[in-house]
Each structure stands twice: as C-alpha cells, then as structure tokens.
Amino acid sequence: MTEEQSLEILEHIAAAYDHFKLSEKRVNVWSEQLKNMDFKGVLHNLNKHIGTKKFPPTIADIAAKLPEKNKFLEEQKDWRQEVQHARASGNQKTFMDYLSPDIKAKYQPLIQEEK
C-alpha cells in the first residue's frame, strides 16, 4: 500500500469517527504498518468495521495481508516452458533424462528391471 492509500484509510476513519484525530505520529505509525498490506482488503475490512462498531479500529482490526506468491507454481511454469522449448527444437528427452545423476544411480536397479 502506498503512503497516499494509507492516508486515505486514515481519512476514512477520521470521517467516520469524530474522536479519531490525525496527528503526524499517528500517520507515521499507521503508514508503517499498512505499507505491507493490501489496500482493497484493508478498505473492505474498514467498511465492515464502520458498519458494526462504534469505536475506531486498531490496525489489527482492519489488517489485510497481501497474498504470498506461490513459488512452486512459478517454477512449474518455467519448467514447462523449458520443456516446450526443448521439444520444439527437436530435443525429445524423457522424464529420466531430467533426473540428476545421483537419483539415476540410486534407482538404476529399478530402471533396469522395467526394461
């Protein structure tokens, strides 16, 4: 979340709760905490809070963490692209060809049994 978005959240709270006063210290503390959060999620949580609570929220009341990227899926996508590129260039390797030498050596007796 940007500093402008953090300020928008604070202004939203101040508009809904008369006794929520903005100060430089409050803006700094909230901005620091909100910077790693999802703006839309925080705004959604804030609107829910305003509709049900008579006191202003704490940061924890409206927190909305950014979803973490799934590195496994990204690696899987990269691997598939590499395989497609290799196949397009005429390389017809099998699954076994992509195994590391130590894995191949470990399972060599099983591989030979299948042949």
Side-chain angles (χ1 to χ4, degrees):
M1 180 179 312
T2 65
E3 286 187 36
E4 292 79 20
Q5 291 171 326
S6 296
L7 190 55
E8 185 177 334
I9 294 293
L10 288 168
E11 289 171 343
H12 205 84
I13 297 169
Y17 298 97
D18 291 336
H19 52 284
F20 187 86
K21 304 296 180 206
L22 294 179
S23 66
E24 184 177 343
K25 182 70 172 175
R26 177 169 276 165
V27 169
N28 291 339
V29 169
W30 277 70
S31 293
E32 179 65 27
Q33 294 299 311
L34 293 174
K35 73 180 179 183
N36 294 322
M37 294 187 196
D38 177 52
F39 174 71
K40 289 180 180 180
V42 170
L43 189 58
H44 173 76
N45 293 343
L46 175 57
N47 287 326
K48 280 177 45 179
H49 185 92
I50 289 171
T52 59
K53 310 287 185 200
K54 64 180 183 176
F55 294 106
T58 63
I59 296 168
D61 289 334
I62 61 171
K65 298 293 181 188
L66 289 169
E68 292 184 27
K69 287 188 174 182
N70 188 333
K71 292 180 183 178
F72 175 77
L73 293 177
E74 290 177 17
E75 290 170 359
Q76 190 92 19
K77 181 181 174 186
D78 292 343
W79 180 78
R80 285 182 182 178
Q81 288 175 345
E82 287 177 29
V83 169
Q84 287 174 348
H85 179 68
R87 286 185 178 159
S89 65
N91 185 349
Q92 298 297 319
K93 289 186 176 181
T94 66
F95 170 76
M96 297 301 296
D97 297 320
Y98 289 98
L99 294 176
S100 64
D102 57 323
I103 298 292
K104 283 182 185 178
K106 183 177 180 179
Y107 292 103
Q108 191 63 38
L110 293 174
I111 295 169
Q112 288 179 351
E113 285 179 15
E114 288 181 12
K115 290 181 180 180

